[in-house]
Amino acid sequence: MLLKHCKQHKSVFFTNGSNGISSMMLKKVKQIMGPCYRISLLPKRVFTRILMLFSLPTMSDDEEEAAGGQQQQLITLLQVNKGELVFPNYKVNKKTVIFCDRDELIRYEEARQLENDIFNAIESKNFELAKELYINAREEFEDQCSSDFAKRASILPPFLKRYTSFHVYIRCMTLGVEALQRLRQYKEAVSLLRKLLKQTAFCQDYKGRWYDRLALNLEQHLKQPEQALKAIKSAISDSNVRVGHRYSLLTRALRITKSLEDTDEFRQQILKESSVIEAPKVVIKGRLCPRPILGRRNVFISSSNTADVDDVTILGVEQLAIEHYKEEGFPEGIHGEGSTFHSIYGLLFWDIIYDGNIPDVFISPYQTHPLDLNSETFFQSRKDQILNHLETLRKSSHEEIKEIVKTTWENHHGQASLVAWDHFSDLEHVQGLICCFNSDVLCGICERLAKDYRFTRSGVPDLVVWNPETFKVKIVEVKGPGDKLSSKQILWLDYLIQLGADAEVCLVEAVASKKLRKETSKEM
């Protein structure tokens, strides 16, 4: 993992780029670790199965995180044993048997290994190998579809289906789409996507991604706009296609209907559904760093620095924006993207999120969140609790909300959870932020995350800046030169503005240092 990280990042200290970092890192690790031994495959597999049964890996929707699941489990156990990591104190409540026998566990383990192999093949740009491996996964899936295990797996709750070989095989096939596209085999990719969409038992929350890819391949690569539009019509009538993917498909449909006849009625429907409030925009100028920095783009110099290029503070676009908003009367600011909203949600809804009375959502002592957090069953299972608590928050005074935050902070501070504790210097810091939101905005943010965390956890604006004295808060999406808003970012801004939040887009315009100094002198 360290070597992979080194290959992805450059350094100013090595002329031969990432290879120099990798060799230096490997040398240092060998010095620290001393003699190392490779475990034989058979005992290793037995050990990983025991580990899997003891603490099932959190199945991430991100393929890279999923590929490193077992390594992360071991690191987690080590950190817990050393006292470096503490998890929330919830009740482990297992009701459903996931693996009925040894064979089911082995099937799942083998599927996970296959997924890892496909991911690594794609990472190393060996797309032919990735294709070959995905075909193996597809054949395994098809061979087992009529088995009794498949029938049992298909009726498990969505968040437990993730621990079946069938779910993992579908993920393997999704990676297969990526491999086929890289090989420019678009007809095969379309055929595979249609097969994935046809099955209705596993990975239904992937449908938005599949439809998005299907429409793109049909329109751009196969030049079949009518078929692409047909796919989009199917997508927008599917309840599993939500938020960002839905908006992306609608905007694609708008482009397609411009060039097709007899689509006026559908176009009007799309225009109505895809209508969003455009967020206000502000433009700020930043001094580009006169010296290029390897591995970083859009690097700026703090406005407080002098012309001495040997003594400067290097800033990214978000830090530059925070400086700007300090001058605008917002002395506090966090560049946390989604983690800021997640933290607010976690602090206010801790007892509901970590309620161990819901069966099967906590099956291991090492979970940062319930297993169903990213599924629609999360809200369904806690609907009354969530709605009642939202109503309580709407009626609460600032002091009452502060007390809720204080209770969570004092009882759970530092625990690995949805809350990014290190974003806040102390309890008063986070209380000051939360009290700047009016009840509609605060409850609206929490309600959106509670109802559909899987599809709303990303796309949250970059910055939250506030003034605890005036109780003013601004939510800002920052874009550097050449950057554009994603579908999810557009929808979050639209949602926040509808709630009445002060939300805007901050566009950072890069100018040469000398030019900006001249403009500043003229203004003075």
Side-chain angles (χ1 to χ4, degrees):
M1 292 173 70
L2 284 172
L3 292 178
K4 182 179 177 182
H5 178 79
C6 291
K7 290 177 182 178
Q8 293 173 340
H9 295 80
K10 297 180 180 179
S11 170
V12 295
F13 300 107
F14 295 96
T15 55
N16 57 343
S18 60
N19 289 332
I21 307 174
S22 298
S23 59
M24 178 63 73
M25 178 65 72
L26 189 59
K27 182 179 178 181
K28 191 68 176 176
V29 168
K30 286 180 178 179
Q31 288 176 353
I32 295 171
M33 296 294 293
C36 296
Y37 303 91
R38 174 178 287 182
I39 302 173
S40 298
L41 182 60
L42 185 58
K44 179 184 175 183
R45 292 185 67 178
V46 173
F47 174 75
T48 55
R49 286 173 198 158
I50 294 170
L51 179 63
M52 203 176 291
L53 288 173
F54 172 68
S55 174
L56 281 169
T58 301
M59 290 289 287
S60 171
D61 300 300
D62 180 83
E63 283 84 1
E64 183 172 359
E65 289 182 26
Q70 289 179 351
Q71 293 95 322
Q72 187 56 50
Q73 277 182 286
L74 288 171
I75 293 169
T76 297
L77 287 172
L78 178 62
Q79 289 178 310
V80 170
N81 289 337
K82 293 173 68 177
E84 296 174 355
L85 193 61
V86 178
F87 286 89
N89 185 22
Y90 47 75
K91 181 172 71 175
V92 174
N93 187 1
K94 297 181 184 179
K95 297 293 183 184
T96 303
V97 176
I98 300 174
F99 305 113
C100 282
D101 55 35
R102 180 174 177 273
D103 289 341
E104 287 187 8
L105 175 62
I106 291 174
R107 285 194 200 99
Y108 172 69
E109 178 203 23
E110 290 174 345
R112 286 293 302 271
Q113 184 58 53
L114 187 55
E115 180 185 25
N116 187 55
D117 292 343
I118 297 171
F119 177 80
N120 288 334
I122 291 174
E123 281 288 286
S124 60
K125 302 189 186 307
N126 191 343
F127 303 119
E128 288 290 352
L129 175 60
K131 178 184 175 181
E132 181 183 331
L133 292 170
Y134 117 73
I135 291 173
N136 292 342
R138 187 190 68 198
E139 290 173 350
E140 286 290 336
F141 178 82
E142 291 170 351
D143 288 345
Q144 296 178 28
C145 268
S146 58
S147 66
D148 291 338
F149 172 53
K151 294 173 184 176
R152 195 183 76 82
S154 66
I155 60 174
L156 286 171
F159 59 92
L160 291 184
K161 285 182 183 180
R162 304 165 78 85
Y163 299 104
T164 67
S165 59
F166 298 97
H167 176 95
V168 183
Y169 286 140
I170 292 292
R171 287 168 61 111
C172 291
M173 292 158 72
T174 303
L175 287 171
V177 173
E178 173 71 14
L180 291 170
Q181 289 174 162
R182 294 295 189 94
L183 292 168
R184 301 182 184 277
Q185 297 175 5
Y186 300 114
K187 287 185 179 180
E188 287 188 46
V190 165
S191 176
L192 177 55
L193 284 163
R194 283 176 168 153
K195 284 182 180 178
L196 289 168
L197 287 163
K198 191 175 181 180
Q199 64 84 31
T200 57
F202 302 97
C203 296
Q204 294 305 285
D205 53 351
Y206 279 56
K207 276 194 165 182
R209 182 192 301 192
W210 296 336
Y211 272 118
D212 214 351
R213 279 290 164 186
L214 178 61
L216 182 147
N217 286 327
L218 288 169
E219 182 204 2
Q220 291 192 4
H221 301 303
L222 299 182
K223 308 302 179 186
Q224 298 176 8
E226 293 88 355
Q227 288 297 313
L229 200 60
K230 184 178 178 181
I232 292 171
K233 287 180 179 179
S234 297
I236 62 176
S237 64
D238 192 324
S239 61
N240 290 300
V241 180
R242 298 201 288 275
V243 194
H245 288 300
R246 186 178 185 84
Y247 184 78
S248 177
L249 286 160
L250 289 169
T251 53
R252 183 178 296 279
L254 282 175
R255 292 197 301 271
I256 294 173
T257 53
K258 285 182 180 179
S259 59
L260 295 179
E261 297 179 356
D262 301 324
T263 59
D264 288 347
E265 185 178 345
F266 184 51
R267 182 174 174 79
Q268 291 304 313
Q269 176 190 340
I270 298 167
L271 282 168
K272 184 178 180 180
E273 188 171 345
S274 62
S275 176
V276 294
I277 300 171
E278 185 175 353
K281 294 180 176 63
V282 297
V283 179
I284 65 173
K285 294 181 180 180
R287 288 190 291 168
L288 277 173
C289 182
R291 295 177 180 175
I293 297 179
L294 288 174
R296 295 190 64 179
R297 57 189 289 266
N298 295 333
V299 179
F300 299 87
I301 301 172
S302 171
S303 58
S304 60
N305 283 113
T306 64
D308 184 0
V309 296
D310 292 319
D311 183 21
V312 298
T313 301
I314 301 300
L315 302 174
V317 288
E318 293 84 7
Q319 287 74 31
L320 191 71
I322 286 177
E323 277 202 350
H324 163 75
Y325 286 106
K326 282 182 179 178
E327 296 174 358
E328 296 293 311
F330 295 95
E332 301 289 348
I334 294 176
H335 170 216
E337 301 181 5
S339 60
T340 306
F341 280 12
H342 301 169
S343 296
I344 292 171
Y345 170 51
L347 287 165
L348 293 174
F349 282 76
W350 186 282
D351 290 342
I352 296 174
I353 295 169
Y354 295 98
D355 180 4
N357 292 314
I358 309 294
D360 297 319
V361 300
F362 290 109
I363 60 175
S364 158
Y366 303 141
Q367 291 178 219
T368 59
H369 57 264
L371 293 181
D372 65 342
L373 181 68
N374 288 297
S375 79
E376 59 187 16
T377 59
F378 177 85
F379 180 72
Q380 294 168 359
S381 300
R382 305 162 180 81
K383 183 176 179 179
D384 290 341
Q385 289 174 274
I386 291 169
L387 294 180
N388 289 337
H389 192 53
L390 284 168
E391 189 60 30
T392 299
L393 289 175
R394 286 191 177 94
K395 296 176 180 178
S396 297
S397 65
H398 281 175
E399 291 305 314
E400 289 170 329
I401 289 175
K402 280 184 177 181
E403 193 60 33
I404 294 172
V405 175
K406 180 182 178 182
T407 300
T408 303
W409 185 279
E410 291 181 346
N411 291 338
H412 307 289
H413 182 264
Q415 294 177 0
S417 61
L418 293 186
V419 182
W421 305 100
D422 58 351
H423 279 357
F424 311 103
S425 57
D426 52 32
L427 173 60
E428 288 72 24
H429 191 210
V430 67
Q431 286 177 326
L433 166 60
I434 290 177
C435 287
C436 287
F437 290 102
N438 67 47
S439 60
D440 288 339
V441 175
L442 186 64
C443 292
I445 290 169
C446 292
E447 183 175 4
R448 193 168 201 239
L449 291 171
K451 286 183 174 180
D452 204 358
Y453 189 84
R454 165 77 168 85
F455 293 101
T456 60
R457 65 191 181 193
S458 57
V460 178
D462 297 303
L463 305 183
V464 178
V465 294
W466 72 98
N467 187 325
E469 300 296 327
T470 62
F471 295 102
K472 288 185 178 180
V473 61
K474 190 184 287 285
I475 304 165
V476 186
E477 178 62 46
V478 184
K479 288 296 171 189
D483 292 339
K484 294 182 179 180
L485 291 170
S486 70
S487 296
K488 288 185 178 181
Q489 289 168 344
I490 291 169
L491 293 174
W492 255 113
L493 287 165
D494 171 70
Y495 180 77
L496 290 166
I497 292 169
Q498 288 191 52
L499 289 175
D502 183 2
E504 66 186 28
V505 178
C506 178
L507 304 173
V508 180
E509 182 181 307
V511 296
S513 299
K514 290 182 180 179
K515 182 180 177 182
L516 187 58
R517 284 200 299 273
K518 287 179 181 178
E519 290 180 359
T520 305
S521 299
K522 288 179 182 178
E523 290 174 4
M524 293 175 66

